Amino acid sequence: MSHAQDGYFIPEPSHWPLIATTAVFTMLVGTALGINQVPAGFYFLAAGLLLFAVLLFGWFGDVARESLAGYYNARVDRSFRQGMFWFIASEVFFFLAFFGSLYYLRNISLDWLGGAGYLGLTRELLYPDFEGQWPTAGPQQVGGPFTPMAAMGIPAINTLILLTSGATVTWAHWGLKLDRRPHLIAGLVATIALGLLFVVLQAWEYREAYQHLNLTLHAGVYGSTFYILTGFHGFHVTMGAIMLLAILARSLRGHFTPKNHFAFEAVAWYWHFVDVVWLGLFVFVYWL
Amino acid sequence: MRISKSRGVALATSSLLFACEAHADLGINLPSPASAGARQIYDIHMLTLGIATVLMIVVLAAVVYSVLTFRKDRGYVADQHFHTSTFGTWSWLAVPVLVLGVDLAIAGSAKKVLASLWNVPDQEMMDVKITGHQWWWEFDYLDEGIKVESRFTPQEQAGELYLREVDNRLVLPTDTPIRFLHTSADVLHAFWVPELGFKKDAIPGYVTETWTTIDKEGVFRGQCAELCGTWHARMPLVVEAVSPERFDAWITERKAQLAVLAAQDGADREWARDELVARGRTEYTTYCAACHQPGGEGMPPAFPALKGSAVVKGPFEEHLKRVVNGVPGTAMQSFAHLSDAQIASIITYERAVFNELDETIQPAMVRAAR
Amino acid sequence: MSTTAIAIEQEHHHHSRPRGWQRWLFSTNHKDIGTMYLVFAFTMLFMGGASAMVVRAELFMPGLQLVDPDLYNNLITNHALIMIFGAVMPAAAGMANWMIPLMIGAPDMALPRMNNLSFWLLPAAALLMILSFVVPFFPGGGSQINTGWTLYPPLSLQVGMSMDFLIFSLHLLGVSSVLASINIIVTLLNMRAPGMTMMKLPIFCWAWLVTAFLLILVIPVLAGGITMLLFDRHFGTSFFTAAGGGDPVLFQHLFWFFGHPEVYILLLPAFGILAHVIPTFARKPLFGYRVIVGAMLGIAAIGMLVWAHHQYTIGMSLAAVTFFMIGTILISIPVGLIVFSYIATMWRGSMTFETPMLFAVGILIMFTFGGLSGIMLAVVPADMQYHDSMFVVAHFHYVLLPGALFGLYAGVFYWLPKWTGHMYDERLGKLFFWVNVIGFNVTFFPQHFLGLAGMPRRIADYNAMFAEFNMVSSIGAFVFGVSHLLLLYIVISTVRGGVRADDKAWEGARGLEWQLSSPPPFHSWSKAPEVA
Ligand code: HEA
Ligand code: HEA
Ligand code: CUA
Ligand SMILES: [Cu+2]
């Protein structure tokens, strides 16, 4: 292995990046065809996903091996931490785009449609009898009348679940720092369980919404913002849970030491980030 | 090529001050304004243009001077301490102050113009609703209850004015405060007649407003300024500003015409085949020929041919559906806004002339089926 | 047998450079990856340029001669996206990869394997974009992308499946840029040689640090916007349709919240290069280092707040337009400071005018010109006239080419000796400069007049009154285009051979990168250098 400049680790040439692009490319082509009802799309998507799974094992397998071999010195570790930090920063702005849109649609353009504000005469000319009250499916009630999702109920429970999971992952971290593996394992298992429970409840909530509330993707801006925000958050929780599973597997193999366990921390940060996003969701999507 | 010569000269001279008043009508600067507002806009355009030109000359001078003077081949030795000299240490304060000064000058005068133009003053105004369609304009004189459809005139008729001429102009009175209400039926369009000084987007589902008081008679030409799909280039806007008297006359005349048309289009009466085909010919040239071509051969793949088309040859209901609903995701938009008689004549024309089908589609049939 | 085993061991331990195709495909070496970036960017420049040539050929005369209107707008969409995301950004990233480790005394980028990924995502994205261009020509491929690079709904909702390919292509490009930016930030913060404090960092590095921050902040917003577009297109949401309570203008806000910072993302790396070229050929230190650093941060900060100057005509309140107007105009302060500092660097210098310097001087003049027309556009009432006219097209080519592309050309000529170990042919270089710059001005200067005279942008067919200037513009464009064949020749022949270049290829050059051999060793700084 090369130990360029006072032991900063430069990995060997690797085929994983190339495989990664191939996988992503295949997935995207598949999706593009699929959503346009081209049957071949499905096979592309499946193939892409499969390759992607292989890739994750392969790439992170390499990383784990290198880490165990002790190639990662303090400086490399710092690179990883900073890298993860900026990655999460970009994720934050991804969600800000959706929160921002929610704000705009709810507090700015809805006023115009409802006859207030700078473009207020829109209503007078186009929708004389539109109230412009949030929650709304728009002047033409696209998707038909619906009932908004109540905050107290599954969402509130989910908030508790996620907050607890945030606590359990930190508790697991203590276990790791104290080098008490059972403690660490217990914490991780609890966190993953809570994460999965959250996803299940979220799915259940969607089912309710579709079957009894007529709150669907078609339900105007309310439905649109509701599903894009909760949907992408749910997706991130799922990702986080999968990463936690990987960490659990590695903990069982005893990969982590009280000193050296960046992978664990990275996932923990990610989990806290997902946590915070949910709080935003609970307040702005469900509650207010 | 006479014009082009004079333009060449204009280009040369104006390259110094990169465009100026004198050249207004040589097509290198904004056309001369036709309203007080437009004049204000024209003036601030010239102001910023002037400032920009001066700044450009300053920068140019500095660069050219140093390029000519501080050359190694002229044995000039570099001053290694220039950046730590007093100038070097304090200029960073001076420059922003100067620039800020210019900026505020520009912003200040711009704010003045905005203050007097931006918001529509609440006073009695004539309301004209301007709706963009793919690819034609609809003008509703709300106070008169008159609708005007305005489409580009094909090359044959327009000649020199191709893409700057329409079948029905937007006739407006001078010396009358007018409020325009802009909206769209499908995608974004933008209303732009340079002489009136402003541009405004037409946003489907929303209404934006602008206003003007035209103070000179004449014909002012512009065109749709927001990309709206295939025939974005074929949405000219022609404003005809006339004296209030002539305008009133035009209104009454227009109302009369509409009454006649309405009577004609009475879907109840039985139409003769030739009558339908004749009417169909004119309607087809107005609404369909742009894409499907006068001869119905189309421009595949973008615009399918109607000659020998399965749809046109097929059952009348299918044919009608296409015309009334359009084909989503393609350039073929819905023509539901046309009258029964118009649609019937178009369909009859397409079936009879392009595909020698011997049948007559009566307006009544259309009304029943649509 | 054992010998081979040992041989392999050796191979492994002393990490002799990988050979053959694997060296490139699997590379974890910042120089090789940088080279791949540059080659990719160059290819894309020719593709985007070729589409521009078709566009100019169509506009050569009134009437529709070559392409139907949809193909025309499909072409400008591809032209814009390929030039921005395919040519300029990858070229800048390539130079970052090549130069940053050399400049800060690092062995390589901080995350070499991810570095390779951020490159290889690009060809995939380019493939998707090419698909989005050609799919409509296959049976059942749907209509062409006739929306322009701004992809405004509702028009973009009407387009067929090729729009989905484009959206995914943009997603990939975004991911690639974000990963590259993370890598660059981490490298700059964590990999500097001892003694290389932030305030000793070469300006090119600072420029890229700021650029990378911008990318991380705005690219995800674009990703969000086009994702919502995808949902509106296929999953029945109504973000951008009024019937469901949405607003088409929301997309414009999301797009330009990305789009305006994007223009500074294109500008800053190129301007960073100038901060190296000008002192080198003026043979005196950069004027106002701290000021330039501050100005770049200022540009980034203000640049995040002025996006709606692209939307003055959508119907915004007086307060809103005033805010965006003043903000936009104020950007002239930091940019002006940079321009000033560069002129002051030439002032009282001892200048020679090799090709990079020629470009630098040309840029100072032409970019200022484009920037000043930008200030004119920023003035709301006047923009009521300029908006969506050829005047805007003239503005942004005057800033995009001098401000970004020419700066990168300057960088190529400046660093080619370091990269290849050979000197390029100075005579040809100068020739390229003059043909290029003259062609450029003949192409885009007349477009100001066209815009003012009332010619909208994005039209394939126009009235005879616009004929003369369009013809001039097209002729200029062909000259400009052909000049790039000369650039191609110069680059290739320099890579192939030529006069050997010293480690310090330019008399006045300063900085760590010139202490290494030309070309540098496979592992840049296996020993951290001493920074004075
Ligand atoms: C590298 C790319 C780049 C750069 C650097 C800029 C720089 C600027 N741009 Fe430009 N712009 C684009 C790329 C760029 N732009 C593109 C691609 C579009 C079109 C997008 C589309 O619609 O497709 C566009 C469109 C665009 C618009 C919208 C026009 C319209 O659609 O109606 C506006 C309006 O304000 C604008 C303004 C500015 C301003 C004020 C600057 C300023 O940053 C310029 C600052 C520089 C100077 C001012 C010169 C140097 C300074 C001095 C010499 C000091 C003295 C100066 C003064 C006192 C004023 N630009
Ligand atoms: C960095 C970005 C970038 C660059 C480098 C360029 C480079 C060029 N651009 Fe473009 N352009 C944009 C960004 C850029 N452009 C954007 C953002 C738009 C807006 C799109 C929209 O409206 O949505 C646009 C739009 C645009 C238009 C307006 C279209 C319209 O609105 O109707 C035009 C028209 O003249 C044009 C021309 C050119 C030309 C001639 C070049 C030349 O510089 C290209 C020259 C380069 C080459 C030609 C290299 C390749 C050489 C060959 C291929 C050899 C063969 C040569 C010959 C056959 C002669 N561009
Ligand atoms: Cu209507 Cu462009
Ligand atoms: Cu901008």
Side-chain angles (χ1 to χ4, degrees):
Chain A
M1 271 298 160
S2 84
H3 291 272
Q5 193 173 325
D6 37 68
Y8 192 90
F9 174 71
I10 312 283
E12 286 294 311
S14 163
H15 49 286
W16 294 121
L18 207 58
I19 293 179
T21 9
T22 323
V24 176
F25 179 77
T26 328
M27 275 157 65
L28 290 182
V29 171
T31 322
L33 294 174
I35 54 181
N36 289 286
Q37 290 75 40
V38 180
F42 171 77
Y43 301 101
F44 278 93
L45 184 54
L49 283 168
L50 205 67
L51 193 56
F52 197 73
V54 176
L55 159 89
L56 290 179
F57 277 98
W59 190 321
F60 289 107
D62 279 4
V63 175
R65 269 186 295 284
E66 290 162 1
S67 160
L68 291 175
Y71 293 137
Y72 296 164
N73 64 10
R75 202 172 183 199
V76 177
D77 199 55
R78 205 152 60 237
S79 292
F80 286 158
R81 288 165 190 285
Q82 292 181 358
M84 190 65 191
F85 174 83
W86 292 111
F87 170 69
I88 290 179
S90 72
E91 285 270 44
V92 169
F93 272 75
F94 182 68
F95 275 98
L96 276 185
F98 297 133
F99 279 109
S101 307
L102 174 60
Y103 175 82
Y104 178 93
L105 291 167
R106 180 171 171 169
N107 300 341
I108 299 178
S109 59
L110 185 57
D111 282 356
W112 297 337
L113 292 171
Y118 185 66
L119 298 183
L121 71 168
T122 295
R123 174 176 184 231
E124 175 189 335
L125 255 78
L126 302 178
Y127 328 103
D129 42 30
F130 176 55
E131 279 324 315
Q133 287 306 326
W134 189 268
T136 178
Q140 297 178 14
Q141 272 285 342
V142 301
F146 67 91
T147 339
M149 184 62 65
M152 302 309 149
I154 298 183
I157 301 170
N158 265 347
T159 314
L160 288 179
I161 293 178
L162 268 196
L163 288 177
T164 334
S165 76
T168 50
V169 78
T170 318
W171 184 69
H173 196 188
W174 292 344
L176 179 47
K177 288 227 200 73
L178 301 171
D179 206 8
R180 297 216 198 96
R181 197 185 300 175
H183 176 164
L184 161 66
I185 305 293
L188 278 173
V189 171
T191 316
I192 295 168
L194 287 165
L196 294 181
L197 180 57
F198 174 92
V199 175
V200 171
L201 285 177
Q202 190 73 35
W204 171 272
E205 176 187 297
Y206 282 1
R207 209 172 128 269
E208 286 297 297
Y210 263 80
Q211 290 187 342
H212 303 119
L213 307 181
N214 188 32
L215 168 53
T216 71
L217 273 166
H218 301 259
V221 272
Y222 182 83
S224 311
T225 48
F226 175 81
Y227 281 104
I228 203 118
L229 275 156
T230 56
F232 269 102
H233 176 266
F235 174 73
H236 279 71
V237 176
T238 321
M239 289 298 112
I242 294 172
M243 294 195 260
L244 281 168
L245 274 172
I247 295 300
L248 176 60
R250 291 187 59 185
S251 313
L252 288 167
R253 293 214 187 79
H255 280 192
F256 300 122
T257 69
K259 297 251 145 332
N260 178 352
H261 51 266
F262 162 73
F264 177 96
E265 285 178 275
V267 176
W269 293 348
Y270 192 80
W271 194 255
H272 289 309
F273 152 72
V274 173
D275 220 353
V276 173
V277 172
W278 174 261
L279 291 183
L281 277 176
F282 184 67
V283 175
F284 294 112
V285 176
Y286 292 100
W287 193 0
L288 297 182
Chain B
M1 290 321 276
R2 208 195 79 271
I3 320 164
S4 70
K5 241 202 238 74
S6 59
R7 269 193 214 169
V9 181
L11 172 58
T13 47
S14 60
S15 302
L16 292 167
L17 197 167
F18 97 45
C20 73
E21 197 93 37
H23 305 131
D25 37 16
L26 291 173
I28 64 173
N29 195 3
L30 298 173
S32 37
S35 79
R39 204 155 291 109
Q40 277 177 292
I41 289 178
Y42 185 89
D43 295 340
I44 191 147
H45 156 68
M46 293 313 289
L47 173 74
T48 47
L49 183 56
I51 296 178
T53 316
V54 174
L55 290 165
M56 189 64 228
I57 291 169
V58 172
V59 173
L60 194 65
V63 173
V64 170
Y65 176 81
S66 43
V67 166
L68 293 180
T69 319
F70 310 116
R71 312 171 65 95
K72 188 168 184 227
D73 53 24
R74 276 151 138 260
Y76 199 98
V77 187
D79 170 356
Q80 298 298 341
H81 306 293
F82 184 60
H83 62 295
T84 49
S85 63
T86 349
F87 178 78
T89 29
W90 292 107
S91 50
W92 69 273
L93 258 179
V95 174
V97 172
L98 292 177
V99 176
L100 182 63
V102 182
D103 286 354
L104 293 183
I106 298 174
S109 40
K111 277 191 68 174
K112 274 201 218 67
V113 178
L114 281 177
S116 65
L117 286 186
W118 197 254
N119 290 329
V120 182
D122 50 11
Q123 70 190 67
E124 251 322 296
M125 287 203 179
M126 168 185 164
D127 281 343
V128 182
K129 177 155 164 268
I130 301 182
T131 311
H133 296 260
Q134 285 173 311
W135 293 272
W136 54 282
W137 292 98
E138 174 187 352
F139 309 126
D140 295 337
Y141 295 79
L142 294 180
D143 315 332
E144 316 290 346
I146 293 185
K147 257 189 182 25
V148 176
E149 291 187 6
S150 174
R151 286 183 177 70
F152 92 111
T153 40
Q155 192 130 31
E156 305 75 55
Q157 296 136 46
E160 264 290 292
L161 286 174
Y162 178 53
L163 298 177
R164 303 289 279 182
E165 185 54 292
V166 292
D167 52 3
N168 302 313
R169 295 171 168 180
L170 172 56
V171 181
L172 294 173
T174 55
D175 311 313
T176 319
I178 306 168
R179 179 171 75 154
F180 299 107
L181 300 158
H182 306 273
T183 187
S184 162
D186 33 49
V187 301
L188 300 169
H189 304 267
F191 179 92
W192 185 29
V193 178
E195 284 85 348
L196 299 190
F198 64 84
K199 180 182 288 108
K200 204 66 157 190
D201 292 5
I203 303 166
Y206 290 80
V207 176
T208 55
E209 56 178 352
T210 49
W211 67 286
T212 185
T213 309
I214 303 173
D215 54 20
K216 75 178 183 196
E217 299 193 14
V219 177
F220 310 125
R221 299 175 189 279
Q223 55 193 101
C224 176
E226 179 65 62
L227 180 52
C228 52
T230 311
W231 294 118
H232 168 51
R234 288 188 177 173
M235 291 184 69
L237 279 154
V238 183
V239 168
E240 185 173 351
V242 298
S243 67
E245 303 69 38
R246 296 244 324 276
F247 180 74
D248 296 337
W250 177 80
I251 290 285
T252 32
E253 172 198 349
R254 187 76 195 171
K255 283 188 170 146
Q257 284 178 0
L258 289 174
V260 177
L261 277 178
Q264 268 190 15
D265 284 15
D268 325 314
R269 70 188 175 85
E270 183 76 8
W271 288 54
R273 188 155 190 279
D274 318 2
E275 189 187 5
L276 277 168
V277 173
R279 175 74 180 278
R281 181 168 285 102
T282 51
E283 301 290 356
Y284 178 85
T285 9
T286 319
Y287 295 100
C288 324
C291 299
H292 294 292
Q293 301 305 304
E297 62 274 10
M299 279 191 192
F303 311 116
L306 300 179
K307 229 192 198 66
S309 136
V311 178
V312 181
K313 278 200 153 99
F316 142 75
E317 290 73 13
E318 274 314 305
H319 190 176
L320 180 69
K321 258 210 209 68
R322 287 293 170 92
V323 179
V324 174
N325 308 338
V327 184
T330 72
M332 179 66 187
Q333 90 261 29
S334 151
F335 286 93
H337 57 277
L338 299 188
S339 75
D340 299 334
Q342 285 174 302
I343 294 182
S345 61
I346 289 174
I347 294 185
T348 314
Y349 177 78
E350 290 175 351
R351 299 171 82 84
V353 177
F354 297 150
N355 298 296
E356 291 85 22
L357 295 187
D358 170 32
E359 58 182 350
T360 326
I361 307 301
Q362 289 296 338
M365 298 164 63
V366 173
R367 175 170 340 119
R370 71 193 281 184
Chain C
M1 179 254 136
S2 58
T3 46
T4 49
I6 291 163
I8 292 163
E9 277 298 284
Q10 301 256 333
E11 184 78 45
H12 232 61
H13 273 283
H14 305 121
H15 191 81
S16 65
R17 60 196 300 169
R19 291 216 171 58
W21 55 276
Q22 294 201 343
R23 169 183 173 185
W24 300 102
L25 267 56
F26 302 162
S27 176
T28 52
N29 178 290
H30 72 99
K31 292 191 232 49
D32 290 354
I33 293 173
T35 309
M36 291 196 289
Y37 261 110
L38 288 166
V39 172
F40 175 82
F42 213 50
T43 329
M44 286 293 135
L45 172 72
F46 273 71
M47 286 181 60
S51 47
M53 290 300 112
V54 181
V55 165
R56 273 324 318 174
E58 174 58 56
L59 293 178
F60 186 74
M61 287 189 303
L64 295 170
Q65 292 86 14
L66 295 177
V67 297
D68 68 66
D70 282 330
L71 181 53
Y72 178 86
N73 283 319
N74 196 357
L75 279 167
I76 62 163
T77 310
N78 254 50
H79 160 67
L81 291 171
I82 286 187
M83 283 298 195
I84 289 178
F85 287 96
V88 173
M89 288 168 75
M95 297 196 186
N97 263 295
W98 246 104
M99 301 315 294
I100 288 179
L102 302 190
M103 286 177 163
I104 65 175
D108 202 303
M109 297 295 279
L111 305 161
R113 212 166 8 205
M114 193 175 87
N115 198 12
N116 178 309
L117 175 60
S118 23
F119 169 75
W120 278 109
L121 285 173
L122 290 178
L127 215 56
L128 279 169
M129 195 176 287
I130 293 168
L131 277 176
S132 80
F133 183 81
V134 298
V135 156
F137 298 100
F138 291 96
S143 60
Q144 302 187 54
I145 302 174
N146 56 1
T147 63
W149 80 297
T150 49
L151 309 180
Y152 283 179
L155 191 55
S156 50
L157 300 177
Q158 293 182 345
V159 177
M161 75 162 85
S162 48
M163 182 57 75
D164 303 316
F165 282 93
L166 187 59
I167 288 175
F168 288 137
S169 167
L170 288 176
H171 274 123
L172 269 194
L173 290 162
V175 174
S176 162
S177 306
V178 169
L179 294 183
S181 307
I182 292 175
N183 213 338
I184 287 168
I185 294 178
V186 176
T187 308
L188 286 169
L189 296 184
N190 191 36
M191 302 293 285
R192 300 195 306 282
M196 173 65 74
T197 60
M198 285 313 268
M199 276 329 217
K200 282 199 190 134
L201 214 55
I203 290 289
F204 179 69
C205 301
W206 263 112
W208 248 113
L209 187 61
V210 177
T211 307
F213 281 138
L214 279 175
L215 277 165
I216 285 185
L217 297 190
V218 300
I219 288 272
V221 175
L222 174 68
I226 55 179
T227 307
M228 289 153 80
L229 196 58
L230 192 74
F231 273 65
D232 268 16
R233 284 170 52 78
H234 290 288
F235 308 123
T237 57
S238 30
F239 292 106
F240 309 130
T241 31
D247 182 355
V249 171
L250 170 60
F251 181 84
Q252 302 185 14
H253 284 292
L254 293 165
F255 183 89
W256 289 117
F257 183 85
F258 147 82
H260 185 71
E262 171 71 12
V263 306
Y264 298 115
I265 289 166
L266 300 169
L267 175 77
L268 289 176
F271 260 44
I273 293 170
L274 295 191
H276 295 250
V277 172
I278 297 175
T280 298
F281 296 98
R283 294 174 179 69
K284 99 196 225 300
L286 181 65
F287 184 96
Y289 174 95
R290 292 164 166 280
V291 177
I292 294 175
V293 171
M296 286 179 164
L297 292 167
I299 291 176
I302 310 178
M304 298 277 297
L305 302 174
V306 299
W307 71 90
H309 64 220
H310 295 271
Q311 307 158 255
Y312 285 149
T313 60
I314 58 168
M316 266 190 288
S317 70
L318 181 57
V321 284
T322 317
F323 169 80
F324 286 112
M325 171 175 73
I326 294 178
T328 307
I329 295 178
L330 286 181
I331 293 184
S332 60
I333 294 175
V335 181
L337 270 169
I338 297 181
V339 171
F340 168 78
S341 303
Y342 288 170
I343 297 177
T345 309
M346 305 200 303
W347 198 266
R348 298 169 130 285
S350 168
M351 287 190 276
T352 51
F353 297 93
E354 288 80 358
T355 313
M357 187 60 167
L358 282 178
F359 269 106
V361 174
I363 287 165
L364 286 181
I365 296 168
M366 293 184 293
F367 172 78
T368 301
F369 183 86
L372 290 169
S373 65
I375 296 297
M376 294 176 67
L377 290 167
V379 174
V380 179
D383 188 61
M384 293 293 107
Q385 290 279 25
Y386 309 140
H387 178 65
D388 266 328
S389 75
M390 287 307 277
F391 188 90
V392 177
V393 175
H395 156 69
F396 65 72
H397 284 90
Y398 260 93
V399 276
L400 276 169
L401 282 87
L405 198 63
F406 293 176
L408 297 168
Y409 292 167
V412 168
F413 284 99
Y414 184 58
W415 284 320
L416 256 184
K418 175 56 63 182
W419 296 339
T420 63
H422 305 129
M423 274 309 202
Y424 61 88
D425 179 334
E426 195 59 64
R427 268 178 29 269
L428 286 183
K430 289 199 163 85
L431 177 65
F432 169 65
F433 168 79
W434 286 111
V435 182
N436 190 263
V437 162
I438 292 169
F440 164 75
N441 285 284
V442 176
T443 310
F444 295 108
F445 193 78
Q447 294 182 359
H448 293 98
F449 302 132
L450 287 171
L452 293 176
M455 178 174 172
R457 57 192 286 199
R458 296 165 165 178
I459 54 173
D461 189 4
Y462 52 86
N463 175 271
M465 71 185 280
F466 306 120
E468 290 91 351
F469 286 134
N470 269 302
M471 192 170 290
V472 176
S473 174
S474 292
I475 293 168
F478 299 143
V479 175
F480 190 59
V482 172
S483 73
H484 290 77
L485 300 175
L486 181 55
L487 175 65
L488 183 62
Y489 171 77
I490 297 175
V491 172
I492 291 178
S493 54
T494 316
V495 174
R496 286 272 202 65
V499 190
R500 282 221 109 303
D502 317 349
D503 299 357
K504 186 158 166 300
W506 308 107
E507 184 193 7
R510 293 178 170 76
L512 290 177
E513 66 270 35
W514 304 106
Q515 294 174 17
L516 288 170
S517 60
S518 310
F522 190 72
H523 282 295
S524 309
W525 293 100
S526 16
K527 191 106 220 60
E530 281 311 311
V531 181

